[in-house]
Amino acid sequence: MNSSVSGMKAQSNWLGTTSDNIANASTVGYKRADTAFSTLVMPHQPAGGYSSGGVETTIRRSISEAGSVSYTNSPTDIAIVGKGFFVVEDADGTQYLTRAGNFQKDAQGHLLNSGGYRLAGYDYRDGEGPGGDLVTIDLSNAPLIASASTVGTFNVNLPIEAGSVSSIMVDTPPSENGPSTRYTKHLKMTSTGDGGGLGGTTDIYFTKLAENKWEITAFVTYGPGATGFPYDLDGGDVFMASTVLTFDPNTGEVVDGDPRLMPDPADNFYYDFSSLLEEDTANAGAIKLKGNFISDTPQIDRAAGEVPPSANLASSVFARKDTYSGYAGLPSHVAIDMYSTKVGDNTWEVTFFNQADSTAGGFPYGEPGSAPLATRTLVFDPVTGELISGAGAFHVAIPDIGSWSVDLSDMVSKQDYFSTIADGMSISLDLARSSETIQPHLAGSVASQNQVGAKYTSKSALTAYDTAGRAVIVDIYYSKGPDNKWEVSVFDQRDTLTGGFPYGVAGSPPLATTILTFDPTTNRLTGNGVLEVPIAGGETLKLDMSGSTQLAAEFNVSKATFDGSKASNPTGYSISSEGIVSATYDDGQAVALYRIALADVMSPDNMTAVNGTVYLVNRESGEAVMGFPGSGNLGKLYSGAYENSNVDLADEMTNMIESQRVYTANSKVFQTGSEMWDIVNSLKR
């Protein structure tokens, strides 16, 4: 009878867990409870007899088994896909673990699940990511924000048939090769052979276009052709290449743009400007020559009375002469003559003089026999042609003027076309950050000149925002110039008292101005078309006008989109797969507030179940280890979804039927035992 009683009790436990599972089949995050059976055996069995024992049960929970996922329209419903548990707290601050992710914001801004527990995470509002102690997530503290305008797209159509406001362009950059070119710095290099005659001239122009942005343009002229703007690019003897480099405002190093120029497409020779620096003041830089001293060049005949350039005599002979002017921090009128001469087997001499000291452009420089500015002897390996002596940079000092550095470490001496710069030249110099920005513009009384009665073709306006969220309206003027060119000028509308010119003090410059050039065939804008407009009290607005056109239609604005916003409260919240809880705003911004914490234990199924579908860690489960969603072995989060219970109703119904049958069988055993006792008791009577 005791065995049957234990059996009925065990089946009652099984029926109890089955009943709980069925009752919680729709409970979010619920984990199925199971009843495990084990035998009870009496310790002392009589010889030839049997003493029945019974059965005992252990309740187990399938906490580590995930349920299916349901999707909702609420961003605060969260499902964990993978390992891990949400960390939640009750009103007393006690922490629990759960997979029940159906959270909703309460009146205090906390995220509560259906059990009334608050979601916990790490504060993200210090601007440097989550950190500190675990805290209850509080969405009521989402900040009021305002964002400054920094980027925008502003495409317009400029009427092709409009009359020109001005037909003259001035201060154009060297890359346009116009008659009114303006630049910041000019470097000139001329090469000749010992027999005389001009081998070639290279003019390199450095032009400051904007803050930290410079145009570098090189013209290569072969033969005795004239140099200067405009260069004859159609004659076949002059070639041009240009690039725009952007410099880091802190380090002064090149950070954007192609630093190599190759003016002549038929020649692999290049100029490398990757070592340029933008500094507060322009200091002397360095020149690094890379090329070949042809090995079978005849060396000087000392027996015949020939002497090298370092002797500085009228009889000095050389293989090549290169002249450099306008270099580095030296005055533009200073020119340096560099002579290259083979003076022995595999040995070359490179000598430098100040051209101002020359006699009719040659030797002697100053007093005959006087020392040159600098001399370098280079020795090459006869087999490999590599430089083995004379490597490294050295200074060419010009008395009372300054000095500059020359590096010949990359020179070789092989049987090949002779040139001290056959492969390329690395140019390193400092560009003065304080240099005036050179801005091309139309001549005459046009909008960019900001005078009363200034002329223009069309006008529009746009609204940007400063860092406080104040609206800043800027007026944009479009003035048609020559040859498919339009001048765009931008002014702050607050600076005008009349609704037009002048803005502020007459003649003061606009906030920004640029020249838009259109392709005459496609009537589409050439170049990048980005106008940088500084907004008072805000940031620099990079206005992308690259989609603008010049068609036979009226002026119109075809697209106008900008970032930035006025001061506003959040309109919603979002939760990323990595657990970052962000406030979202009207302008599409998202501000990270918290990062949800996940925890895991070594043996989740051994945690202690508590009311509200939450669990407490204990000795059997192991301590909780904290982490972030998606890190380590922890799963990721899905916003707008939650995890269902892991109950299978079909299995539970089967278990219920089986439990009922076994319970009935045990009751029959008990009934039979009771009847047997009745028979035994009746024997006494």
Side-chain angles (χ1 to χ4, degrees), residues 205-249:
Y205 298 92
F206 303 86
T207 309
K208 185 177 180 181
L209 302 179
E211 289 301 314
N212 312 123
K213 184 172 292 186
W214 291 71
E215 176 191 277
I216 293 91
T217 303
F219 292 88
V220 174
T221 304
Y222 295 110
T227 63
F229 296 102
Y231 288 80
D232 182 10
L233 297 177
D234 298 324
D237 293 328
V238 183
F239 299 90
M240 183 195 80
S242 185
T243 188
V244 175
L245 302 181
T246 301
F247 295 83
D248 186 288

Side-chain angles (χ1 to χ4, degrees), residues 446-452 454 489-492 495-496 500-513:
V446 293
S448 61
Q449 302 307 302
N450 191 23
Q451 298 287 349
V452 175
S489 302
V490 184
F491 296 88
D492 191 327
D495 294 335
T496 178
F501 298 105
Y503 287 78
V505 178
S508 59
L511 296 178
T513 184

